[in-house]
Amino acid sequence: MSVLITPALPNGFSPPAPAPETAPEEADEESLTHPLLNRLSRSASNNTSQVAIVGSSVCPIESLDYEIMENDYFKQDWRRGEKIQILQYVSMKWMMCFFIGLLVGLVGFCNNLAVENIAGMKFVVTSDMMLARRYTAAFLVFASSNFGLTLFASLITAFIAPEAAGSGIPEVKAYLNGVDAPAIFSLRTLFVKIVGSISAVSGSLVIGKAGPMVHTGACIAALMGQGGSKKYGLTWKWLKYFKNDRDRRDLVTCGSAAGMAAAFRAPVGGLLFALEEMASWWRSALLWRAFFTTAVVAIVLRALIDLCLSGKCGLFGKGGLIVFDVTSANSAYQIRDVPPVLFLAVIGGIWGSLYNFLQDRVLRIYNRINERGAVYKIVLALTVSICTSCLLFGLPWLAPCRPCPSDTSEPCPTIGRNGNFKKFQCPPGHYNDLASLFFNTNDDAIKNLFSKDTDNEFHHLSMLIFFITCFFLSIFSYGIVTPAGLFVPVIVTGAAYGRFIGMLFGSHSTLNHGLFAVLGSASFLGGSMRMTVSLCVIILELTNDLLLLPLMMLVLLISKTVADTFNGNIYDLIMRAKGFPYLEGHAEPYLRQLAVSDVVTGPLQLFNGIEKVSNIVHVLKTTGHNGFPVVDEPPLSEAPILFGLILRAHLVTLLKKKAFLQNPVPAGYDAFNQFSADEFAKKGLDHGDRVENIQLTDEEMDMFIDLHPFCNASPYTVVETMSLAKALMLFREVALRHLLVIPKVYGMIPVVGIITRHDFMPEHVLRLHPSLAKSKWKRLRFKLPRGIKFF
């Protein structure tokens, strides 16, 4: 018989107060922003299932089983393992890392090759028309090309894989934290991510390729680590080693590092990005494998780019995946250069926090638009594309034509697509500095801004216009139904900001404007992304200038510190807006005031060690729980004891195989003859079988199942009086999905409840204890008066 119990509270604790109709203002700041998420989260606050915005659609999510289920079958299979099997397992992991690096490197190169050729052809045709003074036709070609490319990207994303929208970094980061969202690593998501990113970036949207490349690398790693597929005939025995979420998590971490390395040709930066920003759990073995994966990416890219330098890649030339070389013999700096750099870092941190604030508010609006359907998503994307085309083509007309410098090392005006001196509408011998930035790909714009010995090539007004335009276009371009990243827009916006600061302090500093642009990108990245080590290495690998290291470290530390006083990093804000139950690495102060029993909600569903089939079917159909405590009662034991924990997926497997008993007696060793350890492994990237699809007769419903051999007999447990903050640290560091709560005093109830990820969420805790909202960490915030809200 199954038992329903209500969790008991220890002495000194009172039952939680009922949740108020409206949460206090302090709690509202951390609440979910999507109305559907708010409604569903209240109805399932103590369940392991939840919903979140995945890409551009609302989908159900689950927690991952990073803890391996050590039932009798797993132990028996582990004891039979030989040295050759261990060697196979280790060598297979290294082989997987090699192929992940190889494939991600190839995809990264082809991505850039396609963008440079598609966008290059568009700019060449438009520039030829501009030279012929056919300005209206040039604009129509430019705008219609961008419109068509954006339409194609939004169509395939909205109708084939909505999960591919956005950068994908929040989804991958949530996955590595233990949140499983459907289809984020599917084959169709991978296809749409690659093709959609190429099309959207080629369409001159102010978006980046780094985020989609991280998601692409994670998709490739997850697909390779599925453990084989019967559907496609991939049943090689060695592939079965990865049929668990722990090994897949390690491969996805290597894939995300490879994606960042392929986006910027920064292998060490990609490794540190995965360590600092993506992975919630890290160990030395994973460090070595991720390092090996990014090294393979670097070698593949180096070989392919050398091939392109011979002129066999069309319009690729030297564009895309290039190192923005700002190395200079005059990169040394003096003490008088420090105050301008400090000013740049402080203001950059403020701008970065403002960027995050506005991006968060715009995403809230976009979420409300996107929930109306695919047509609204596509119309929104096309509206952004039209506005972008009008601004990119129209704003250069505001910039004055400047005479070509006499000492330049490249042709002026620029011949072809690349260069700092775009002619646009100017007469012979003159160039349009704003067109050199707007009428280019993002990579080439960054190259122009980072270029050395170009202090007199850009006007103050042009740089200010470019900075403001990129700032707002990058905010409004992210969140539409296309694959879109944030790294490159933040870099180009920060470079324009840094150049402008360099123009203001030019007479008070020995640093050239290109170096100010590099430091400006660092300050903007630090203020928005809030990373330090990985960003420092990525920028150094991009610029190939180690002399900037001390200033770079100083700028990143100051900008991050300043921005942290206002809000969180951009990816955490996006995850919160999407509704992902992400577990932070620190515990809020109010969690120390609560015991575990204060957040456990009932009733709790238990199973007996030998359970009736009808009871199991009823519980699986009427609850959404994924783990159930198994309790032995007399006569199987002298007193009620907690035997272990069994997963929903394993119960469904038992029902499907119909391992039933006529009488409620232990199955003994006969159970081992009916199953193998592989049948209890994770079923690929999908959610496996469902109980609704299993047909059982009335006679079978009256039979029994011995659950003992299929339980994890050593689950993690905590006493009900343990601090909730301490339990959170255990839950996160060990990467658990279920944490059993046992009573402090031995009695008739062997288990008080189960703690899952959602029980640690601020929304759940503060709904039960609203008075503790005042104990939250508070950042310095400048709030608008009540009644005045722009978003």
Side-chain angles (χ1 to χ4, degrees), residues 131 404 410-416 421-424 427-431:
L131 289 174
C404 290
E410 61 179 277
C412 179
T414 297
I415 300 175
F421 306 103
K422 285 291 183 72
K423 184 175 182 296
F424 207 65
H430 292 71
Y431 71 97

Side-chain angles (χ1 to χ4, degrees), residues 336-490:
R336 66 171 181 164
D337 297 322
V338 175
V341 170
L342 294 178
F343 177 82
L344 178 144
V346 172
I347 304 301
I350 296 174
W351 275 111
S353 63
L354 177 62
Y355 181 90
N356 291 2
F357 171 80
L358 294 176
Q359 185 74 80
D360 182 50
R361 294 306 187 271
V362 169
L363 282 178
R364 296 185 187 209
I365 298 174
Y366 281 7
N367 287 340
R368 295 177 184 274
I369 296 174
N370 290 336
E371 72 172 334
R372 295 176 178 269
V375 175
Y376 286 86
K377 298 177 183 178
I378 295 172
V379 170
L380 175 62
L382 296 179
T383 302
V384 173
S385 175
I386 294 172
C387 294
T388 301
S389 297
C390 292
L391 289 173
L392 297 187
F393 193 90
L395 287 176
W397 294 83
L398 301 178
C401 292
R402 298 166 62 85
C404 290
S406 58
D407 57 346
T408 179
S409 60
E410 61 179 277
C412 179
T414 297
I415 300 175
R417 186 170 63 85
N418 298 315
N420 286 8
F421 306 103
K422 285 291 183 72
K423 184 175 182 296
F424 207 65
Q425 89 292 2
C426 295
H430 292 71
Y431 71 97
N432 189 316
D433 59 346
L434 197 51
S436 301
L437 300 175
F438 276 135
F439 220 60
N440 250 328
T441 61
N442 288 328
D443 282 356
D444 290 330
I446 296 173
K447 177 185 176 184
N448 293 345
L449 290 169
F450 281 3
S451 58
K452 59 189 177 183
D453 301 327
T454 56
D455 290 3
N456 299 319
E457 290 183 7
F458 299 98
H459 192 270
H460 295 71
L461 180 61
S462 299
M463 197 55 56
L464 182 61
I465 292 174
F466 183 72
F467 165 65
I468 295 175
T469 305
C470 287
F471 182 85
F472 287 102
L473 279 182
S474 62
I475 290 174
F476 286 100
S477 298
Y478 186 84
I480 61 175
V481 63
T482 60
L486 286 171
F487 252 90
V488 172
V490 172

